[in-house]
Amino acid sequence: MYPPTATVTATAAAAEEGSATTLSDVPTDILQSHILTRLDGLTLASASCVSSQLHSLAAQDHLWTTVCHSTWPSTSTTRLRYLISNFSFGARCFFSLSFPLLLPSPTATITTTPPPPELISAVDIHYKNKLIFTKVQETETVTDWFRCSPFRIDLLDPKDVVPTTIPHPESDGACTALSEEMILSWVLIDPIGRRAANISSHKPVSLQRHWLSGEVQLLFVSILGGGEWKGPTSDLVQCGIVVTCGSGGSEGGDMQVREVSLQVEDMDGMQLTGKKSLGILHRALDYSRRGNKMKRREEEGRMRYREFLEMKRDRRERKLRTEGTLDMLCVAFGFGVTIFAAFWWLFLCIQPE
């Protein structure tokens, strides 16, 4: 219990007299220990815009550290705590970079800084606001094997499973409920450049259930710009996060997480190499925009994915039309050559000896 102070006495007197109580009447220690500590990141950011007093109080790093740990439990590991503390403005900067939806840059960008020699993935999956999966994984990016192979980050080995207490969905309605209640965050961190971005769509953009095995595959997507690469990657690319869940073996058993992976594909569905994917992610960490509708991340993510699918469909149709036109030209050319050869042969045959 806090001892009575002059501010508390004045507040009580104002309440007894029926006058309005303002925020400035609330003691600072009450704001710090009982109000601001109960706010989530979005509310804390909004509160900092109310007054200069709240802006000063809400900028304290320990508040944002608590927010980051509650939003992303993976950030509570020793290395990430130290790494986040070295960001400019600490945990507050990390939250502002990692919470919004990542949007593609409207123009192609060329970065002059070298790509990071390592990428850190901080991944958390929640179902109905309960944590079911969390992991921090480091990926080196300097070897020839990484640069020449298709880019893919797997958080689970093929034989590993993560048990949950969630009933495995056996019907379309249960699959829909799973899609609405599951939230995934994949924060990609550059430990050298002190940059971070969330490459997940927050909620899945699609869900598929295998008709035979019953496995459920959820897809989380972030659409990024291909940047300066020529060819297919000069357009938009898809950073796809696949979460595969299966049952424990018995019908009606609890669900198990069997796969959590990330890969990058171009608009033709081709998986990009580590070198090209690293360049795209590097530029995304530097120049990509963050969505300003932070409370509607899932709607915006699904809208971006639908637009990307429409662009892929239009691209495929144009390609088919072009190939059809080329086929017709080839047929016409072959037919013309055949007619010319037949005419020339006939002409030679009827020449007098």
Side-chain angles (χ1 to χ4, degrees), residues 235-251:
D235 300 301
L236 298 178
V237 298
Q238 170 185 298
C239 293
I241 303 169
V242 175
V243 178
T244 303
C245 303
S247 63
S250 60
E251 186 176 355

Side-chain angles (χ1 to χ4, degrees), residues 221-238:
V221 165
S222 180
I223 306 300
L224 303 178
E228 65 195 38
W229 295 104
K230 297 181 179 180
T233 53
S234 61
D235 300 301
L236 298 178
V237 298
Q238 170 185 298

Side-chain angles (χ1 to χ4, degrees), residues 55 58-62 64-65 68 83-97 194:
H55 179 78
Q60 298 183 32
D61 191 67
H62 72 90
W64 289 101
T65 299
C68 288
L83 184 60
I84 293 172
S85 66
N86 288 322
F87 273 63
S88 58
F89 302 104
R92 180 163 58 119
C93 175
F94 181 82
F95 182 87
S96 67
L97 293 173
R194 301 295 189 269

Side-chain angles (χ1 to χ4, degrees), residues 45-58:
S46 300
S48 66
C49 301
V50 173
S51 65
S52 58
Q53 178 194 15
L54 277 181
H55 179 78
S56 176
L57 295 176

Side-chain angles (χ1 to χ4, degrees), residues 299-312:
E299 290 87 350
E300 191 169 0
R302 289 169 179 170
M303 180 190 69
R304 296 282 176 183
Y305 180 63
R306 288 194 297 268
E307 292 176 352
F308 181 75
L309 292 181
E310 291 177 1
M311 294 175 64
K312 286 182 64 175

Side-chain angles (χ1 to χ4, degrees), residues 39-323:
L39 304 182
D40 59 19
L42 288 180
T43 311
L44 185 61
S46 300
S48 66
C49 301
V50 173
S51 65
S52 58
Q53 178 194 15
L54 277 181
H55 179 78
S56 176
L57 295 176
Q60 298 183 32
D61 191 67
H62 72 90
L63 293 174
W64 289 101
T65 299
T66 302
V67 166
C68 288
H69 293 172
S70 61
T71 307
W72 307 293
S74 58
T75 59
S76 60
T77 59
T78 302
R79 185 182 182 188
L80 288 191
R81 288 173 67 97
Y82 174 77
L83 184 60
I84 293 172
S85 66
N86 288 322
F87 273 63
S88 58
F89 302 104
R92 180 163 58 119
C93 175
F94 181 82
F95 182 87
S96 67
L97 293 173
S98 304
F99 188 84
L101 180 71
L102 195 63
L103 303 178
S105 176
T107 58
T109 55
I110 301 177
T111 178
T112 57
T113 60
E118 179 187 38
L119 291 175
I120 300 178
S121 299
V123 183
D124 301 281
I125 304 178
H126 290 82
Y127 178 76
K128 292 186 176 180
N129 297 323
K130 293 183 179 180
L131 184 68
I132 62 172
F133 179 87
T134 181
K135 187 171 183 179
V136 176
Q137 180 154 315
E138 302 165 355
T139 305
E140 57 78 26
T141 63
V142 295
T143 63
D144 293 336
W145 180 86
F146 171 84
R147 293 178 171 270
C148 298
S149 301
F151 176 80
R152 183 182 176 97
I153 299 178
D154 284 295
L155 301 187
L156 291 174
D157 291 332
K159 296 182 179 180
D160 291 343
V161 296
V162 177
T164 70
T165 58
I166 307 170
H168 187 265
E170 301 291 344
S171 63
D172 293 340
C175 290
T176 302
L178 177 66
S179 177
E180 292 298 326
E181 297 293 343
M182 184 170 286
I183 296 174
L184 181 142
S185 171
W186 190 305
V187 180
L188 204 63
I189 306 170
D190 172 12
I192 304 300
R194 301 295 189 269
R195 302 167 303 168
N198 201 327
I199 55 175
S200 172
S201 54
H202 190 62
K203 287 189 176 182
V205 297
S206 70
L207 182 147
Q208 295 180 350
R209 183 173 181 271
H210 194 275
W211 66 274
L212 181 59
S213 64
E215 283 190 338
V216 176
Q217 191 174 83
L218 300 102
L219 177 64
F220 301 79
V221 165
S222 180
I223 306 300
L224 303 178
E228 65 195 38
W229 295 104
K230 297 181 179 180
T233 53
S234 61
D235 300 301
L236 298 178
V237 298
Q238 170 185 298
C239 293
I241 303 169
V242 175
V243 178
T244 303
C245 303
S247 63
S250 60
E251 186 176 355
D254 291 336
M255 188 176 70
Q256 296 177 339
V257 180
R258 298 179 177 176
E259 176 192 3
V260 183
S261 63
L262 166 69
Q263 61 185 24
V264 181
E265 296 181 355
D266 61 24
M267 295 187 69
D268 293 324
M270 299 295 293
Q271 188 174 350
L272 302 186
T273 62
K275 180 180 179 180
K276 292 184 178 181
S277 300
L278 179 62
I280 290 170
L281 294 174
H282 177 47
R283 287 188 295 275
L285 290 171
D286 264 342
Y287 298 106
S288 288
R289 301 171 295 150
R290 269 72 175 176
N292 54 4
K293 298 179 180 179
M294 300 176 75
K295 292 185 178 180
R296 299 177 57 190
R297 290 179 296 172
E298 53 269 19
E299 290 87 350
E300 191 169 0
R302 289 169 179 170
M303 180 190 69
R304 296 282 176 183
Y305 180 63
R306 288 194 297 268
E307 292 176 352
F308 181 75
L309 292 181
E310 291 177 1
M311 294 175 64
K312 286 182 64 175
R313 183 163 47 251
D314 293 342
R315 181 189 182 95
R316 184 167 57 251
E317 290 175 354
R318 289 197 304 269
K319 187 176 180 180
L320 290 175
R321 287 197 297 267
T322 302
E323 290 177 352

